[in-house]
């Protein structure tokens, strides 16, 4: 056992608590409590030890009141004081403690006191966890149980503990619980100068314990965990059998140790009897083991190798014997590798680790190597035994797994995890040097269109090409990574001037656009780049990434295919947008959205022939929000589908009510986004809304923007055809602003065109706008489509449209968009 090999100085307490012989017992007790110490050394005027007063000596007192506490400690101490040499083994100290019936002793070295050792120190110091874990608490091996009732007095407890030489006494409460009164409790009462009437007031409770038969390790751990020196031993029914203290643990450990020693001697005799058989077995293991084994003499000359050595290294035993292990050297280890290896062998006799060696044929391999020095009784090294296994394949697998865990599988670029590590390293290098570096956040423009139109295979091919472009232009020592999807990032670790970053960004943009058409399709490829600089734009990895991302979005907002440096006001805009997006998510649930109506009129008579439903948001803090503020956010945040369905349902409900009141003329027009048409069965949604409110399908008009209607690859014609089959009136909104194909327009199942307000607003004095408007009206009439002019604000505009044959209009000349109640009043007034 480990603790039996120690000497007592290693476990002693160097700080000696001491007092003079005339110190009152109460004061001595108080000092011991403050120091957490179980004894105090009594000294004369010169500091020479006279004796020792311990917690156990308190048992000699008849009472614990103030009078007892005033007695001088010199009259109650134990003397003479036992002093032990510092190099005395702990095992011998344990025997002396037991023979003399003491719990404390002084420790001397060269004639001077160097500490105090106690039974507590011995128990706390022993470390044989595995030995204690298989040894059991046996209640009948401990001292007899010392037990009194909770109503008994402390004086009775003192007398009983004194008679039985007990260090603790159990207290039985009427409800079946147990408490405990220890020597430390007696010390506390003495220091306080009070003597409570009953043990119920003096004891500590509850009484912690273990079951009879529990391991000594469990008992010791419970003592250490709760910083106590006694615990109970209960039977299976919870009946208290015994109190177990440090002294009991020591006795049990010693008894078990003696049995263990006898068993070890028997095993040694058995081993000697079977030594010949063991030698034969060892020889078989040496020959058949899969690990290579190499044995050298004390000078490192090979004396023996096994067959596995030859199989792994390629060297036969004849080729290896008489040489040194240097024949396997690959030269891949650093210069000080072998120096540290031999230093470890000399100091500890063992070394293990991984080594890259070379086979006889010249191929490198990695081995896991363990070397052990075999010494004689004088410590002289006789042999070295090296055992090794070939772990080349395992190392290659580990390296592959490490690569996959830190790199993007598609492009082979570092992934987000590895990039963040390198970014943090760049920050740690730049911080003390006060140097600059840059992040370039690269995001492809309209990449989703590539996936949706050409398929994911073409999208993956494009991403690989873009990764190659970024690597081509990236300067040495920079890092190019793929964060996710079509997002790439470049870490430029050294920046001497900002123009250097701008030049690189433009090179990257040009390199990306050169990929246009290379996928076999006439497709223009571009990117937007956001740039953040360290330390100006952030001191942490998160801040730099967020700011580069913000700058990238700013580049997209400015038309794409360009780069943008981060500026401080971008964060304010980003936070404003984030706040609006969060508020917009709850706007539907909290009924903050409203549907307003703008009438469509007959230009000649100004008679209302219909209306357009327009979405408005009444923000609780910002008031009425313009659609241009929140519609783009709704589209980016995938809110257009639920918001669009809500507008459709609300408009159908209001129009049906007005028709029931005799106020609803013509059709109600509702704008439909491309997202609504592409995802889900929008025709079924429309059918349900019409049915829910009892509205005839002919009373509903759906306005689709020109760019959405012309999206030939997304099944738009089929979606519009289903709506037409429902009997819904379909029209093209903002006609003339896109890249419309007249032949495709002819095939669309639409009945109307809305001329965009951008052509109407200046047609009365701009010849180009007048010509475009005239052409649109002519095209619409030729195709048999009904025309509506948006944004009519002046009489001159109205007169022009009438002259050209446009029958319907909409704009501030007739009415601005109105809330529901105001529009209802307008309808009533026009009746």
């Amino acid at each position: 056992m480990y603790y039996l090999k120690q000497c007592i100085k290693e476990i002693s307490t160097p700080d000696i608590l001491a007092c003079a012989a005339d110190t009152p017992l109460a004061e001595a007790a108080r000092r011991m409590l403050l120091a957490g110490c179980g004894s105090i050394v009594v000294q004369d005027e010169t500091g020479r030890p006279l004796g020792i007063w311990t917690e156990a000596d308190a048992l000699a007192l008849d009472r614990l009141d103030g009078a007892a506490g005033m007695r001088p400690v010199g009259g109650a101490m134990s003397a003479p004081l036992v002093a032990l040499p510092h190099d005395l083994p702990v095992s011998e100290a344990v025997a002396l403690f037991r023979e003399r019936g003491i719990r404390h002793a002084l420790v001397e070295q060269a004639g001077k006191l160097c500490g105090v050792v106690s039974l507590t120190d011995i128990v706390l110091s022993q470390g044989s966890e595995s030995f204690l874990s298989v040894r059991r608490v046996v209640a009948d091996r401990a001292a007899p149980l010392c037990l009194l009732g909770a109503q008994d007095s402390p004086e009775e407890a003192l007398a009983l503990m004194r008679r039985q030489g007990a260090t603790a006494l159990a207290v039985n409460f009427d409800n079946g619980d147990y408490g405990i009164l220890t020597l430390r409790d007696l010390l506390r009462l003495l220091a306080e100068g009070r003597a409570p009437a009953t043990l119920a007031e003096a004891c500590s409770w509850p009484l912690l314990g273990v079951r009879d038969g529990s391991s000594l390790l469990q008992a010791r751990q419970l003592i250490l965990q709760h910083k106590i020196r006694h615990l109970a031993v209960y039977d299976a029914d919870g009946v208290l059998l015994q109190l177990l203290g440090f002294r009991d643990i020591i006795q049990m450990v010693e008894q078990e140790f003696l049995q263990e020693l006898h068993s070890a001697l028997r095993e040694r005799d058995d081993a000697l009897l079977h030594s010949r058989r063991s030698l034969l077995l060892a020889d078989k293991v040496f020959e058949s083991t899969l690990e290579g084994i190499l044995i050298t003499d004390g000078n490192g000359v090979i004396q023996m190798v096994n067959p596995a050595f030859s199989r792994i290294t390629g060297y036969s035993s004849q080729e290896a014997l008489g040489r040194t292990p240097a024949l396997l050297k690959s030269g891949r280890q650093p210069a000080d590798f072998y120096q540290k290896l031999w230093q470890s062998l000399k100091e500890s006799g063992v070394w293990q680790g991984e080594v890259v060696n070379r086979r006889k044929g010249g191929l490198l391999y990695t081995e896991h190597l363990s070397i052990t020095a075999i010494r004689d009784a004088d410590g002289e090294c006789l042999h070295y035994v090296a055992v090794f296994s070939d772990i080349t394949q395992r190392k290659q697998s580990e390296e592959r797994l490490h690569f996959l865990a830190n790199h993007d599988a598609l492009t082979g670029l570092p992934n987000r995890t590895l990039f963040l590590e390198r970014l943090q390293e760049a920050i740690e290098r730049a911080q003390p040097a006060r140097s600059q570096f840059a992040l370039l956040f690269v995001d492809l423009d309209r990449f989703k269109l590539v996936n949706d139109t050409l398929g994911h295979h073409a999208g993956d091919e494009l991403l690989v090409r873009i990764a190659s472009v970024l690597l081509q232009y990236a300067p040495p020592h920079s890092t190019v990574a793929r964060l996710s999807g079509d997002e790439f990032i470049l870490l430029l670790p050294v920046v001497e001037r900002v123009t250097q970053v701008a030049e690189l960004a433009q090179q990257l943009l040009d390199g990306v656009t050169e990929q246009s058409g290379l996928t076999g399709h006439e497709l223009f490829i571009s990117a937007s780049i956001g740039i953040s600089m360290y330390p100006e734009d952030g001191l942490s990895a998160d801040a730099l990434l967020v700011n580069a991302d913000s700058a990238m979005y700013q580049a997209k907002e400015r038309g794409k295919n360009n780069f943008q440096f981060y500026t401080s006001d971008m964060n304010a805009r980003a936070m404003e947008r984030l706040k609006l997006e969060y508020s917009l998510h709850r706007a539907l649930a909290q009924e903050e959205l409203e549907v307003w109506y703008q009438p469509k009129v007959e230009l000649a008579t100004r008679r209302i022939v219909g209306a357009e439903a327009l979405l408005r948001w009444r923000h609780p803090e910002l008031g009425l929000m313009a659609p241009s503020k929140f519609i783009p956010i709704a589209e980016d945040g995938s809110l257009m589908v639920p918001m669009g369905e809500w507008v459709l349902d609300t408009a159908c409900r209001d129009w049906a009510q007005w028709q029931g009141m005799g106020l609803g003329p013509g059709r109600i027009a509702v704008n439909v986004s491309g997202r609504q048409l592409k995802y889900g069965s929008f025709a079924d949604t429309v059918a349900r809304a019409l049915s829910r409110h009892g509205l005839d399908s002919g009373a509903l008009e759906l306005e689709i923007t020109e760019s959405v209607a012309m999206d030939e690859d997304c099944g738009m014609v089929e979606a519009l055809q289903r709506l037409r089959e429902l009997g819904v009136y379909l029209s093209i909104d903002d006609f003339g602003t896109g890249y419309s194909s007249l032949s495709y327009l002819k095939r669309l199942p639409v009945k109307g065109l809305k001329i965009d307000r951008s052509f109407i607003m200046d047609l009365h004095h701009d010849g180009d706008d007048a010509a475009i408007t005239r052409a649109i009206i002519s095209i619409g009439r030729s195709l048999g489509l009904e025309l509506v002019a948006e944004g009519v604000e002046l009489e001159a505009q109205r007169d022009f449209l009438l002259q050209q044959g446009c029958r319907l209009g909409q704009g501030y000349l007739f009415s601005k968009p109105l809330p529901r109640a105001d529009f209802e009043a307008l309808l009533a007034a026009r009746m």
Side-chain angles (χ1 to χ4, degrees), residues 217-243:
L217 176 62
Q218 182 180 352
R220 175 177 173 269
Q221 287 177 337
L222 188 62
I223 287 174
L224 295 178
Q225 178 183 354
H226 294 277
K227 297 181 179 179
I228 57 179
R229 293 187 293 175
H230 299 81
L231 71 160
V233 180
Y234 296 102
D235 66 11
D237 298 323
V239 176
L240 179 63
L241 300 176
Q242 192 49 266
L243 291 178

mmCIF file of all heavy atoms in Angstrom, residues 217-243:
data_model
loop_
_atom_site.group_PDB
_atom_site.id
_atom_site.type_symbol
_atom_site.label_atom_id
_atom_site.label_comp_id
_atom_site.label_asym_id
_atom_site.label_seq_id
_atom_site.Cartn_x
_atom_site.Cartn_y
_atom_site.Cartn_z
ATOM 1 N N LEU A 217 -13.422 2.586 0.627
ATOM 2 C CA LEU A 217 -13.241 3.762 -0.229
ATOM 3 C C LEU A 217 -14.470 4.660 -0.158
ATOM 4 O O LEU A 217 -14.364 5.883 -0.063
ATOM 5 C CB LEU A 217 -12.991 3.325 -1.668
ATOM 6 C CG LEU A 217 -12.879 4.454 -2.696
ATOM 7 C CD1 LEU A 217 -11.698 5.349 -2.370
ATOM 8 C CD2 LEU A 217 -12.761 3.897 -4.109
ATOM 9 N N GLN A 218 -15.661 4.051 -0.188
ATOM 10 C CA GLN A 218 -16.884 4.846 -0.101
ATOM 11 C C GLN A 218 -16.960 5.586 1.227
ATOM 12 O O GLN A 218 -17.328 6.760 1.294
ATOM 13 C CB GLN A 218 -18.106 3.936 -0.282
ATOM 14 C CG GLN A 218 -19.442 4.680 -0.252
ATOM 15 C CD GLN A 218 -20.615 3.730 -0.424
ATOM 16 O OE1 GLN A 218 -20.438 2.539 -0.718
ATOM 17 N NE2 GLN A 218 -21.812 4.231 -0.221
ATOM 18 N N ALA A 219 -16.579 4.890 2.319
ATOM 19 C CA ALA A 219 -16.586 5.532 3.634
ATOM 20 C C ALA A 219 -15.600 6.685 3.679
ATOM 21 O O ALA A 219 -15.909 7.779 4.169
ATOM 22 C CB ALA A 219 -16.252 4.497 4.712
ATOM 23 N N ARG A 220 -14.401 6.456 3.127
ATOM 24 C CA ARG A 220 -13.381 7.510 3.156
ATOM 25 C C ARG A 220 -13.805 8.711 2.316
ATOM 26 O O ARG A 220 -13.642 9.862 2.708
ATOM 27 C CB ARG A 220 -12.064 6.944 2.638
ATOM 28 C CG ARG A 220 -10.943 7.967 2.495
ATOM 29 C CD ARG A 220 -9.670 7.274 2.047
ATOM 30 N NE ARG A 220 -8.634 8.237 1.743
ATOM 31 C CZ ARG A 220 -8.414 8.762 0.548
ATOM 32 N NH1 ARG A 220 -9.206 8.401 -0.451
ATOM 33 N NH2 ARG A 220 -7.440 9.628 0.345
ATOM 34 N N GLN A 221 -14.398 8.452 1.139
ATOM 35 C CA GLN A 221 -14.833 9.551 0.280
ATOM 36 C C GLN A 221 -15.934 10.372 0.939
ATOM 37 O O GLN A 221 -15.972 11.595 0.805
ATOM 38 C CB GLN A 221 -15.307 9.001 -1.063
ATOM 39 C CG GLN A 221 -14.175 8.506 -1.950
ATOM 40 C CD GLN A 221 -14.684 7.896 -3.234
ATOM 41 O OE1 GLN A 221 -15.823 7.453 -3.314
ATOM 42 N NE2 GLN A 221 -13.822 7.854 -4.243
ATOM 43 N N LEU A 222 -16.852 9.712 1.646
ATOM 44 C CA LEU A 222 -17.918 10.431 2.338
ATOM 45 C C LEU A 222 -17.347 11.321 3.428
ATOM 46 O O LEU A 222 -17.772 12.464 3.617
ATOM 47 C CB LEU A 222 -18.916 9.423 2.926
ATOM 48 C CG LEU A 222 -20.198 10.016 3.527
ATOM 49 C CD1 LEU A 222 -21.000 10.742 2.460
ATOM 50 C CD2 LEU A 222 -21.046 8.921 4.157
ATOM 51 N N ILE A 223 -16.341 10.820 4.137
ATOM 52 C CA ILE A 223 -15.677 11.608 5.188
ATOM 53 C C ILE A 223 -15.004 12.835 4.596
ATOM 54 O O ILE A 223 -15.145 13.954 5.094
ATOM 55 C CB ILE A 223 -14.665 10.733 5.958
ATOM 56 C CG1 ILE A 223 -15.408 9.744 6.889
ATOM 57 C CG2 ILE A 223 -13.708 11.581 6.773
ATOM 58 C CD1 ILE A 223 -14.498 8.756 7.577
ATOM 59 N N LEU A 224 -14.281 12.638 3.485
ATOM 60 C CA LEU A 224 -13.572 13.754 2.860
ATOM 61 C C LEU A 224 -14.536 14.750 2.238
ATOM 62 O O LEU A 224 -14.341 15.965 2.312
ATOM 63 C CB LEU A 224 -12.611 13.226 1.801
ATOM 64 C CG LEU A 224 -11.451 12.355 2.302
ATOM 65 C CD1 LEU A 224 -10.614 11.876 1.136
ATOM 66 C CD2 LEU A 224 -10.599 13.115 3.304
ATOM 67 N N GLN A 225 -15.605 14.246 1.600
ATOM 68 C CA GLN A 225 -16.546 15.126 0.921
ATOM 69 C C GLN A 225 -17.231 16.084 1.883
ATOM 70 O O GLN A 225 -17.405 17.270 1.590
ATOM 71 C CB GLN A 225 -17.595 14.286 0.180
ATOM 72 C CG GLN A 225 -18.674 15.114 -0.532
ATOM 73 C CD GLN A 225 -19.721 14.227 -1.179
ATOM 74 O OE1 GLN A 225 -19.599 13.003 -1.203
ATOM 75 N NE2 GLN A 225 -20.772 14.846 -1.685
ATOM 76 N N HIS A 226 -17.627 15.566 3.056
ATOM 77 C CA HIS A 226 -18.358 16.402 4.013
ATOM 78 C C HIS A 226 -17.462 16.960 5.113
ATOM 79 O O HIS A 226 -17.960 17.598 6.059
ATOM 80 C CB HIS A 226 -19.502 15.586 4.637
ATOM 81 C CG HIS A 226 -20.563 15.210 3.638
ATOM 82 N ND1 HIS A 226 -21.584 16.065 3.273
ATOM 83 C CD2 HIS A 226 -20.739 14.074 2.908
ATOM 84 C CE1 HIS A 226 -22.357 15.475 2.385
ATOM 85 N NE2 HIS A 226 -21.870 14.263 2.141
ATOM 86 N N LYS A 227 -16.139 16.702 4.992
ATOM 87 C CA LYS A 227 -15.166 17.231 5.955
ATOM 88 C C LYS A 227 -15.543 16.845 7.389
ATOM 89 O O LYS A 227 -15.616 17.670 8.298
ATOM 90 C CB LYS A 227 -15.063 18.755 5.818
ATOM 91 C CG LYS A 227 -14.551 19.187 4.450
ATOM 92 C CD LYS A 227 -14.433 20.695 4.337
ATOM 93 C CE LYS A 227 -13.903 21.089 2.961
ATOM 94 N NZ LYS A 227 -13.798 22.550 2.812
ATOM 95 N N ILE A 228 -15.848 15.563 7.564
ATOM 96 C CA ILE A 228 -16.179 15.025 8.882
ATOM 97 C C ILE A 228 -15.173 13.942 9.221
ATOM 98 O O ILE A 228 -14.393 13.514 8.364
ATOM 99 C CB ILE A 228 -17.616 14.464 8.913
ATOM 100 C CG1 ILE A 228 -17.772 13.376 7.833
ATOM 101 C CG2 ILE A 228 -18.630 15.582 8.733
ATOM 102 C CD1 ILE A 228 -19.138 12.744 7.792
ATOM 103 N N ARG A 229 -15.184 13.504 10.494
ATOM 104 C CA ARG A 229 -14.222 12.476 10.898
ATOM 105 C C ARG A 229 -14.895 11.212 11.422
ATOM 106 O O ARG A 229 -14.235 10.272 11.824
ATOM 107 C CB ARG A 229 -13.278 13.060 11.958
ATOM 108 C CG ARG A 229 -12.375 14.143 11.389
ATOM 109 C CD ARG A 229 -11.332 14.595 12.383
ATOM 110 N NE ARG A 229 -11.954 15.278 13.512
ATOM 111 C CZ ARG A 229 -11.290 15.695 14.596
ATOM 112 N NH1 ARG A 229 -9.997 15.467 14.697
ATOM 113 N NH2 ARG A 229 -11.906 16.327 15.569
ATOM 114 N N HIS A 230 -16.223 11.210 11.424
ATOM 115 C CA HIS A 230 -16.979 10.035 11.852
ATOM 116 C C HIS A 230 -18.196 9.904 10.952
ATOM 117 O O HIS A 230 -18.735 10.895 10.468
ATOM 118 C CB HIS A 230 -17.451 10.160 13.306
ATOM 119 C CG HIS A 230 -16.324 10.294 14.300
ATOM 120 N ND1 HIS A 230 -15.686 11.500 14.544
ATOM 121 C CD2 HIS A 230 -15.717 9.357 15.087
ATOM 122 C CE1 HIS A 230 -14.740 11.311 15.456
ATOM 123 N NE2 HIS A 230 -14.729 10.033 15.792
ATOM 124 N N LEU A 231 -18.637 8.685 10.755
ATOM 125 C CA LEU A 231 -19.890 8.467 10.074
ATOM 126 C C LEU A 231 -20.514 7.180 10.608
ATOM 127 O O LEU A 231 -19.847 6.363 11.247
ATOM 128 C CB LEU A 231 -19.707 8.393 8.562
ATOM 129 C CG LEU A 231 -19.021 7.168 7.954
ATOM 130 C CD1 LEU A 231 -19.393 7.091 6.477
ATOM 131 C CD2 LEU A 231 -17.522 7.272 8.090
ATOM 132 N N ALA A 232 -21.809 7.037 10.359
ATOM 133 C CA ALA A 232 -22.541 5.903 10.913
ATOM 134 C C ALA A 232 -22.455 4.700 9.990
ATOM 135 O O ALA A 232 -22.263 4.840 8.783
ATOM 136 C CB ALA A 232 -24.000 6.286 11.113
ATOM 137 N N VAL A 233 -22.614 3.516 10.585
ATOM 138 C CA VAL A 233 -22.775 2.279 9.831
ATOM 139 C C VAL A 233 -24.165 1.750 10.149
ATOM 140 O O VAL A 233 -24.481 1.477 11.313
ATOM 141 C CB VAL A 233 -21.693 1.237 10.210
ATOM 142 C CG1 VAL A 233 -21.889 -0.035 9.397
ATOM 143 C CG2 VAL A 233 -20.293 1.804 9.993
ATOM 144 N N TYR A 234 -25.031 1.658 9.108
ATOM 145 C CA TYR A 234 -26.410 1.213 9.279
ATOM 146 C C TYR A 234 -26.574 -0.169 8.686
ATOM 147 O O TYR A 234 -25.875 -0.557 7.739
ATOM 148 C CB TYR A 234 -27.378 2.164 8.575
ATOM 149 C CG TYR A 234 -27.409 3.569 9.120
ATOM 150 C CD1 TYR A 234 -26.749 4.610 8.466
ATOM 151 C CD2 TYR A 234 -28.109 3.861 10.283
ATOM 152 C CE1 TYR A 234 -26.783 5.907 8.949
ATOM 153 C CE2 TYR A 234 -28.150 5.151 10.779
ATOM 154 C CZ TYR A 234 -27.494 6.178 10.115
ATOM 155 O OH TYR A 234 -27.541 7.446 10.597
ATOM 156 N N ASP A 235 -27.554 -0.911 9.250
ATOM 157 C CA ASP A 235 -27.873 -2.182 8.616
ATOM 158 C C ASP A 235 -28.882 -1.933 7.495
ATOM 159 O O ASP A 235 -29.229 -0.782 7.192
ATOM 160 C CB ASP A 235 -28.386 -3.201 9.644
ATOM 161 C CG ASP A 235 -29.732 -2.793 10.244
ATOM 162 O OD1 ASP A 235 -30.380 -1.837 9.729
ATOM 163 O OD2 ASP A 235 -30.162 -3.416 11.218
ATOM 164 N N ALA A 236 -29.358 -3.019 6.885
ATOM 165 C CA ALA A 236 -30.254 -2.883 5.737
ATOM 166 C C ALA A 236 -31.564 -2.199 6.092
ATOM 167 O O ALA A 236 -32.224 -1.610 5.223
ATOM 168 C CB ALA A 236 -30.532 -4.261 5.134
ATOM 169 N N ASP A 237 -31.962 -2.252 7.382
ATOM 170 C CA ASP A 237 -33.228 -1.628 7.805
ATOM 171 C C ASP A 237 -33.029 -0.224 8.332
ATOM 172 O O ASP A 237 -33.972 0.388 8.851
ATOM 173 C CB ASP A 237 -33.888 -2.503 8.884
ATOM 174 C CG ASP A 237 -34.235 -3.877 8.354
ATOM 175 O OD1 ASP A 237 -34.647 -3.968 7.178
ATOM 176 O OD2 ASP A 237 -34.098 -4.860 9.112
ATOM 177 N N GLY A 238 -31.823 0.306 8.250
ATOM 178 C CA GLY A 238 -31.563 1.665 8.710
ATOM 179 C C GLY A 238 -31.292 1.762 10.190
ATOM 180 O O GLY A 238 -31.288 2.874 10.747
ATOM 181 N N VAL A 239 -31.048 0.621 10.836
ATOM 182 C CA VAL A 239 -30.742 0.637 12.275
ATOM 183 C C VAL A 239 -29.260 0.935 12.455
ATOM 184 O O VAL A 239 -28.409 0.341 11.781
ATOM 185 C CB VAL A 239 -31.104 -0.711 12.929
ATOM 186 C CG1 VAL A 239 -30.694 -0.727 14.406
ATOM 187 C CG2 VAL A 239 -32.593 -0.979 12.783
ATOM 188 N N LEU A 240 -28.933 1.857 13.373
ATOM 189 C CA LEU A 240 -27.549 2.240 13.619
ATOM 190 C C LEU A 240 -26.800 1.097 14.299
ATOM 191 O O LEU A 240 -27.202 0.601 15.342
ATOM 192 C CB LEU A 240 -27.509 3.505 14.504
ATOM 193 C CG LEU A 240 -26.125 4.012 14.876
ATOM 194 C CD1 LEU A 240 -25.357 4.440 13.636
ATOM 195 C CD2 LEU A 240 -26.230 5.176 15.862
ATOM 196 N N LEU A 241 -25.701 0.683 13.649
ATOM 197 C CA LEU A 241 -24.887 -0.391 14.208
ATOM 198 C C LEU A 241 -23.638 0.142 14.896
ATOM 199 O O LEU A 241 -23.241 -0.369 15.941
ATOM 200 C CB LEU A 241 -24.448 -1.357 13.096
ATOM 201 C CG LEU A 241 -25.575 -2.058 12.320
ATOM 202 C CD1 LEU A 241 -24.975 -2.896 11.198
ATOM 203 C CD2 LEU A 241 -26.414 -2.918 13.258
ATOM 204 N N GLN A 242 -23.029 1.170 14.322
ATOM 205 C CA GLN A 242 -21.747 1.613 14.850
ATOM 206 C C GLN A 242 -21.398 2.985 14.295
ATOM 207 O O GLN A 242 -21.967 3.423 13.288
ATOM 208 C CB GLN A 242 -20.649 0.597 14.457
ATOM 209 C CG GLN A 242 -19.334 0.788 15.166
ATOM 210 C CD GLN A 242 -19.499 0.922 16.676
ATOM 211 O OE1 GLN A 242 -19.598 2.033 17.194
ATOM 212 N NE2 GLN A 242 -19.571 -0.208 17.388
ATOM 213 N N LEU A 243 -20.497 3.659 15.000
ATOM 214 C CA LEU A 243 -19.870 4.873 14.484
ATOM 215 C C LEU A 243 -18.477 4.510 14.000
ATOM 216 O O LEU A 243 -17.727 3.828 14.697
ATOM 217 C CB LEU A 243 -19.776 5.947 15.572
ATOM 218 C CG LEU A 243 -21.086 6.574 16.035
ATOM 219 C CD1 LEU A 243 -20.822 7.577 17.145
ATOM 220 C CD2 LEU A 243 -21.820 7.240 14.879
#
